[in-house]
Amino acid sequence: MRRIKFFIGSIILLVFSGCSNGQKNVNPLPVINIETNMKNMQEIYLSQFSDNIKYVPLEAFNDMVFTGIWDCVFSDSFFIAKDLRKCLMYNYKGEFILKIGNQGRGPGEYQYSMNTVFGLNNKIYIQSLYDLIEYNIDGTYSAKHKNTFGSDNDYIATWMFIKDSLIFGKVASATGSEKYKALIINLGGQTKYYFKNFINFNRTKPLASDDEQFANIYTFQNNIYFKEAYNDTLFRLTEQYQLIPVYVITLGSFTKPLSVREDISMEAMKKMGDYMSVGNVYQTNKYLFIDCFFSNQFPAKRLTPRVVYSDITSMYNTKSVLGIYNKSTRDLIFCRPTSTDNPLFTSGLFNDIDAGPRFFPQKMVNDSTMAMWIDAVQLKNHIQSDDFKNLNPKYPEKKKALKDLADNLSEYDNAVLIFVTFNK
C-alpha cells in the first residue's frame, strides 16, 4: 500500500510523496482571510457575472413530490434530485424521467439515500448507510456492495468516484482520534490509498454532526478538490493521488478551538455561536465563491420573529454569507445580507437580471454553471413581496416571465431549480 503524507505550514507548505524520501518546496499559498475581510460587504449584482439564468420547475409525477430537496447531482443529460427516501431523475427541462430504486430493506432497496452519484460506467450509485447500491441508468437494480463505507472502523460520509472505479472519500471525525482524514477505496471497501489526519483531539463520545462527517468535494477543470469544515486548507487531488494544498481559508480568531470541538457538553454547545465556519467552495475561472457561516456575527435579522417550532422563534432566515474571492487580485468581498422577512432576499448575489431570488449557489453543475433550489411556495411568496415588486431589473421581460412561471405554480408543487452559467 502506498502511503501519502503531507505537512501543512501556515504559508509555506512542504509536500512529501509516499514513493520518495525527497521533498520539494511549494510556492506560497494564497491566504484568504475571512476575519480581516468580514466587514468588507457590498451589494454585488448577478449581472456582474452572468446574464444567463434559467428556472426549471420539477415535474410532480403522481406521488413523486419532495417535502424538501436534500441534494442534486448532475450529468450531461440528466440530474437527480433526492431526499433521504427517494431519488428522482429529471431532464434539464424539469421533466420527470424515472425513480431510482425504492426505500426498504429488501433486495435492491436502500434504507436511506445518504449519497447519490452518477458512476463512471453509466451506472447510478446510492449510499445506504455503510452499503453501496448499484443501479442501471434505467433505474433497475444491478448489484449491492456491502460495507463499502464502513471498513476498518472508518466511516465515509462524503465521497466521489475517481478513475478506475475507485472512491475518494472523507473519513468522519467522530472521536477526533481518527488516524486518517480521507481514504481511496474500491467498491469492496478495501483501502488503496490513505491520507493521514494531522488534526487530532480526544472526544469522549462519538459525535455524528454534519460538520464532522461531511466535506466539500467537487471537480473543476477535471481536477478533484477537497476541503473539510474544520481544516483551513483547500486541497487538489493529483493524478498520483497526492493532496496538494492550493488555498488557505483562515477564520482567524473565529476558528473553533479543538477544546470546543471535543467537548460535547451543553455549555460547549452554547459557545458554538461564537465561532464561524466555511462550508462549500465553488469555483470558476476567475473566482472562488465561498459559503461562510457567520453564526452570531451574521449582520442581518428578520423584521419579525419566525416560528421554528411551537413557542420557539428565530430572528434569522439564514446565517450564511457568500464571499467572492478574485483569483487575480486576491481580493475578498462579501455579498451584504439584507434585513427582511423574505428568505429569498436575505443573502447571496442580488438578482438584477429578473428581480428573482438572490443567487446563493448550492452545487456546481460543471465548470461554468451553478445551481440552487427553492420551494415552489417560497418562489410564489417572493413574487408577491415588495422586494420583487420594487425592483427594476435589467430585463423587464424576464421579470414578467418569472412572475408568469410563479403564478402557474401551486404551493404543493415540487421545487424549482435555478441554473446560472457564469461568464468565462
Side-chain angles (χ1 to χ4, degrees):
M1 181 182 298
R2 179 180 174 186
R3 183 172 184 176
I4 300 175
K5 305 177 183 179
F6 52 87
F7 172 78
I8 306 171
S10 59
I11 299 179
I12 305 294
L13 290 94
L14 301 176
V15 181
F16 298 87
S17 170
C19 61
S20 171
N21 291 324
Q23 66 185 43
K24 66 176 181 178
N25 290 328
V26 176
N27 291 330
L29 291 182
V31 177
I32 305 173
N33 194 312
I34 302 295
E35 182 179 22
T36 58
N37 290 281
M38 60 186 293
K39 294 185 178 180
N40 186 15
M41 293 189 171
Q42 301 177 17
E43 289 189 1
I44 305 177
Y45 295 96
L46 185 57
S47 64
Q48 296 173 230
F49 305 93
S50 173
D51 282 341
N52 188 338
I53 184 169
K54 182 180 179 182
Y55 296 85
V56 179
L58 299 187
E59 181 183 6
F61 184 80
N62 294 337
D63 62 340
M64 305 303 179
V65 178
F66 293 104
T67 54
I69 292 180
W70 181 273
D71 192 17
C72 290
V73 293
F74 303 92
S75 73
D76 291 339
S77 302
F78 308 104
F79 64 88
I80 296 172
K82 64 174 288 293
D83 56 20
L84 288 175
R85 300 181 181 275
K86 57 184 174 295
C87 300
L88 307 183
M89 183 187 291
Y90 296 87
N91 63 23
Y92 280 91
K93 294 180 180 179
E95 297 168 338
F96 174 77
I97 304 298
L98 54 88
K99 182 181 180 183
I100 300 113
N102 289 287
Q103 185 183 33
R105 295 179 179 270
E109 296 179 330
Y110 48 82
Q111 294 183 58
Y112 298 100
S113 58
M114 306 297 294
N115 290 295
T116 303
V117 302
F118 287 99
L120 303 176
N121 50 358
N122 210 29
K123 300 278 189 177
I124 297 168
Y125 294 85
I126 295 178
Q127 178 182 0
S128 176
L129 299 176
Y130 294 95
D131 300 331
L132 184 63
I133 317 296
E134 180 182 308
Y135 297 90
N136 299 310
I137 196 66
D138 63 1
T140 58
Y141 171 71
S142 176
K144 180 178 182 178
H145 306 277
K146 295 197 67 174
N147 206 35
T148 299
F149 301 106
S151 60
D152 300 327
N153 296 318
D154 288 317
Y155 178 61
I156 293 176
T158 315
W159 53 276
M160 178 178 289
F161 273 114
I162 56 178
K163 63 182 181 181
D164 301 324
S165 298
L166 294 176
I167 293 171
F168 170 69
K170 145 84 175 164
V171 175
S173 304
T175 66
S177 59
E178 287 76 16
K179 190 174 181 180
Y180 307 118
K181 64 187 299 176
L183 297 172
I184 293 178
I185 60 177
N186 62 15
L187 292 176
Q190 297 168 318
T191 301
K192 298 299 181 180
Y193 302 88
Y194 55 86
F195 304 85
K196 190 173 180 181
N197 177 29
F198 290 101
I199 304 176
N200 296 109
F201 53 92
N202 185 23
R203 188 179 287 133
T204 55
K205 292 182 180 180
L207 181 67
S209 69
D210 286 353
D211 285 347
E212 301 290 9
Q213 289 194 70
F214 297 102
N216 182 201
I217 305 176
Y218 67 93
T219 59
F220 178 69
Q221 296 181 342
N222 296 318
N223 290 302
I224 293 176
Y225 290 83
F226 171 77
K227 187 187 180 303
E228 299 171 282
Y230 295 121
N231 189 324
D232 63 5
T233 306
L234 175 65
F235 295 93
R236 177 175 60 85
L237 183 67
T238 70
E239 292 286 327
Q240 295 74 37
Y241 302 137
Q242 296 179 358
L243 281 177
I244 303 298
V246 288
Y247 290 97
V248 172
I249 307 175
T250 176
L251 295 166
S253 63
F254 292 104
T255 302
K256 188 178 296 183
L258 293 180
S259 58
V260 174
R261 286 182 65 188
E262 68 183 7
D263 191 347
I264 59 174
S265 68
M266 288 303 298
E267 281 190 20
M269 296 298 172
K270 293 177 182 178
K271 296 179 181 178
M272 293 297 186
D274 296 335
Y275 307 104
M276 296 162 58
S277 62
V278 171
N280 288 339
V281 177
Y282 310 95
Q283 194 164 171
T284 66
N285 288 329
K286 297 180 180 180
Y287 302 98
L288 296 181
F289 292 84
I290 303 171
D291 179 356
C292 189
F293 185 70
F294 268 48
S295 196
N296 289 348
Q297 287 71 44
F298 189 78
K301 293 184 177 181
R302 288 178 57 87
L303 304 178
T304 54
R306 175 175 62 91
V307 177
V308 179
Y309 176 77
S310 186
D311 59 345
I312 301 175
T313 61
S314 172
M315 289 302 298
Y316 297 93
N317 291 315
T318 180
K319 291 187 177 182
S320 291
V321 182
L322 184 64
I324 303 173
Y325 176 79
N326 188 311
K327 295 180 182 179
S328 297
T329 65
R330 299 194 175 188
D331 292 326
L332 174 64
I333 301 173
F334 287 98
C335 299
R336 180 184 294 123
T338 301
S339 294
T340 173
D341 288 340
N342 182 357
L344 298 185
F345 200 74
T346 301
S347 198
L349 292 163
F350 284 89
N351 186 345
D352 60 332
I353 296 174
D354 56 21
R358 292 177 64 168
F359 187 73
F360 202 122
Q362 292 176 270
K363 203 69 176 283
M364 289 182 63
V365 179
N366 53 44
D367 286 355
S368 59
T369 301
M370 301 180 199
M372 65 177 285
W373 43 91
I374 55 178
D375 292 338
V377 65
Q378 284 189 320
L379 181 58
K380 291 180 72 67
N381 289 340
H382 174 74
I383 298 303
Q384 297 299 319
S385 71
D386 290 338
D387 301 317
F388 177 81
K389 295 175 181 178
N390 294 336
L391 279 176
N392 296 310
K394 290 181 63 177
Y395 304 100
E397 71 279 7
K398 291 186 178 182
K399 179 178 181 179
K400 182 180 183 306
L402 178 58
K403 182 179 184 303
D404 291 343
L405 183 152
D407 288 344
N408 287 322
L409 290 174
S410 160
E411 61 180 306
Y412 302 106
D413 276 336
N414 265 333
V416 176
L417 266 65
I418 304 175
F419 295 95
V420 171
T421 298
F422 288 76
N423 303 326
K424 294 184 178 180

